[in-house]
Amino acid sequence: MLSVVVAPWGSGEPVFGRAADVRHYAASTMKVAVLAALHRSGVDLDAEVPVVNRFDSAVGGEFANSRDGDGDQLPWELLGGTAPLRSLAERMITHSSNLATNLCLAAVGPEAVAGVWRRAGATHSATPRGIEDAVAREAGVDNLVTARDLVRLLRSLDGEPELLALLERNAYRVDLAAGLPPGTRIAFKNGWVTGARHSVGVVYPDDCPPYLIAVCYTGPLASGHGTADPAARLVARISAAVWDRRRDVTARP
């Protein structure tokens, strides 16, 4: 299943949608909602928190992350010590750290993340559990997104330039970013697992106003590999096609 939504930044209202409200497993796109919840929570982002690998499951009991399955090893080097929430939030976005994500989620709680989705106007997306909470997932408690809701989520960050600036520092310049001319500004978050590949971003062309784009793909093309993934190339091709029509997108009222 392929879902696509494109919208001008100014209104956030889609000018193109394909399967916009179909739910997909969220993968790492849910980290944007966790980031917003953390920054809006009022917690001291410079406070040191214990770096642990034991978290409360959404259905009771505890679970842990797999180091081998995490694309960012830096937070793991701090295990048993402490780290500022601000630095954990940064690694969650720039290097998609799963361990840092669960530490940030533990600091604010799932209800705060649910509030972020509500504030964005999302209607089909939710983040009820941490990453790798396998027991909860087996019980039917899952992190889900739609392309329309991801666009709404990013649009809701208007007025929070520090969050958009952090999304611009995403180290994984694949998916949407790979479909743009070199050097094009994009604040985005991608996510992938075997069977799913998603990316949502706000693109800043030099010759017209910014626009929003979300692409969610669920299917056999998604190998789960970061760069050598056929689904990543599909997302890049869609990004390139929208770039070619960017003036049409941003000219809509």
Side-chain angles (χ1 to χ4, degrees), residues 56-70:
D56 292 335
S57 171
V59 295
E62 294 183 327
F63 72 97
N65 286 130
S66 164
R67 182 167 185 167
D68 291 341
D70 200 331

Side-chain angles (χ1 to χ4, degrees), residues 22-202:
V22 171
R23 289 185 175 97
H24 298 260
Y25 174 64
S28 290
T29 58
M30 48 78 73
K31 294 171 182 176
V32 179
V34 177
L35 175 70
L38 185 67
H39 276 254
R40 295 170 186 172
S41 68
V43 302
D44 181 3
L45 295 178
D46 295 313
E48 297 273 340
V49 298
V51 179
V52 298
N53 186 25
R54 186 62 59 180
F55 305 100
D56 292 335
S57 171
V59 295
E62 294 183 327
F63 72 97
N65 286 130
S66 164
R67 182 167 185 167
D68 291 341
D70 200 331
D72 184 18
Q73 293 300 305
L74 190 147
W76 290 90
E77 300 299 327
L78 305 175
L79 201 62
T82 63
L85 278 170
R86 190 184 305 277
S87 67
L88 292 171
E90 180 171 355
R91 300 302 294 195
M92 171 177 67
I93 296 299
T94 61
H95 290 74
S96 211
S97 167
N98 291 340
L99 181 62
T101 300
N102 282 344
L103 290 166
C104 290
L105 181 58
V108 294
E111 183 51 41
V113 183
V116 168
W117 286 115
R118 287 194 298 269
R119 174 172 164 175
T123 55
H124 296 87
S125 300
T127 310
R129 64 167 178 82
I131 294 176
E132 295 186 74
D133 185 352
V135 176
R137 187 174 190 185
E138 289 169 4
V141 179
D142 218 349
N143 297 328
L144 300 171
V145 295
T146 70
R148 190 191 306 273
D149 285 348
L150 285 173
V151 161
R152 287 171 170 167
L153 175 61
L154 227 60
R155 184 67 181 82
S156 75
L157 303 185
D158 187 26
E160 297 174 282
E162 69 278 14
L163 303 191
L164 291 170
L166 185 54
L167 288 164
E168 282 195 60
R169 301 204 296 273
N170 184 346
Y172 294 104
R173 313 303 289 185
V174 290
D175 302 309
L176 293 177
L180 302 174
T184 303
R185 286 180 60 202
I186 178 172
F188 76 114
K189 185 73 189 79
N190 36 15
W192 58 83
V193 295
T194 302
R197 186 97 194 188
H198 316 317
S199 195
V200 59
V202 52

